[in-house]
Amino acid sequence: MKTGLFFGSFNPIHIGHLVIANYMASFTELMEVWLVVSPHNPLKNKNGLTNMYDRLEMAKLATENSEKIRVSDIEFGLPQPSYTIDTLTHLTEKYPGKEFVLIMGADNLISIKKWKNYDVLLKNYQIFVYPRPGVDVTEWENHPSIVITETPQMDISSTFIRKGIKEGKNVQYFTPDNVLSFIESKNMYR
């Protein structure tokens, strides 16, 4: 069973994330997609990162009615910062019956050579790539491990949503209503 792993901070999760996950679970050969909530991406600044348990809860709320998308906190118990190759190795040992596929944006693909053991990643795992505005991935098009998908593009970011909330803007429809209610109940991103 092919399982797509979509890693992210999900700070907060938004409709762009959900469109990507649903596309991968419904329009590709993947049987399911796991949203892997990362406590800390080693290539990102940890400042401004909301509590990992709140981010996990928001991801669960956003996907509670989905049959093919589930949320994973696997990296919460692994050494931090989390490196994708270490998480994949751990998951492969824990779930030997699953074939894990990495899901990433074109922007991450073009910087993959900065990742820990990226050559092992490319050798042992398939990577399903979703397009990002203005990002050229032609150098990867014929790589045997890379699948460039036609996932619909949405130029929405968690940063945009956090900034909107901080400025008192209405961010309804950018994230599911139950996630927005959770954010408001905890007075997050103010």
Side-chain angles (χ1 to χ4, degrees):
M1 175 190 277
K2 278 195 178 185
T3 298
L5 299 175
F6 185 13
F7 290 80
S9 300
F10 305 111
N11 186 31
I13 192 165
H14 55 70
I15 59 165
H17 296 129
L18 298 170
V19 165
I20 292 164
N22 186 61
Y23 178 89
M24 294 294 179
S26 302
F27 292 82
T28 71
E29 62 194 85
L30 299 179
M31 298 304 294
E32 62 182 354
V33 170
W34 293 4
L35 300 179
V36 182
V37 179
S38 300
H40 175 219
N41 176 335
L43 297 178
K44 286 187 178 176
N45 187 340
K46 199 169 184 175
N47 293 345
L49 200 55
T50 302
N51 175 302
M52 63 186 183
Y53 295 102
D54 286 343
R55 293 183 285 118
L56 179 71
E57 183 60 26
M58 289 186 285
K60 286 180 177 177
L61 286 167
T63 58
E64 65 187 3
N65 296 321
S66 177
E67 292 177 21
K68 291 183 154 195
I69 303 169
R70 62 175 275 209
V71 177
S72 171
D73 63 358
I74 192 76
E75 289 193 334
F76 288 26
L78 298 176
Q80 290 183 29
S82 307
Y83 293 97
T84 303
I85 190 65
D86 298 336
T87 305
L88 280 165
T89 302
H90 179 78
L91 284 169
T92 302
E93 288 170 7
K94 188 171 180 174
Y95 301 98
K98 291 189 182 292
E99 180 183 344
F100 291 105
V101 173
L102 196 54
I103 296 170
M104 72 170 63
D107 52 332
N108 284 320
L109 179 62
I110 62 168
S111 67
I112 198 167
K113 292 179 181 175
K114 294 178 183 173
W115 291 29
K116 178 182 175 184
N117 297 354
Y118 80 93
D119 49 338
V120 177
L121 260 179
L122 290 168
K123 181 175 170 245
N124 296 331
Y125 298 94
Q126 261 193 314
I127 301 175
F128 283 31
V129 179
Y130 56 90
R132 299 289 277 184
V135 179
D136 180 13
V137 292
T138 42
E139 75 166 289
W140 295 100
E141 281 178 346
N142 297 314
H143 193 287
S145 298
I146 307 291
V147 176
I148 309 290
T149 68
E150 295 182 15
T151 310
Q153 295 183 53
M154 301 182 80
D155 198 9
I156 297 171
S157 69
S158 297
T159 304
F160 169 81
I161 294 168
R162 290 193 307 272
K163 184 174 184 278
I165 291 170
K166 187 172 185 155
E167 294 173 357
K169 308 273 192 220
N170 181 346
V171 295
Q172 185 180 17
Y173 309 119
F174 292 108
T175 190
D177 288 343
N178 57 355
V179 172
L180 202 50
S181 295
F182 180 83
I183 290 169
E184 289 168 357
S185 75
K186 295 204 134 202
N187 206 23
M188 295 164 69
Y189 308 122
R190 303 249 177 237

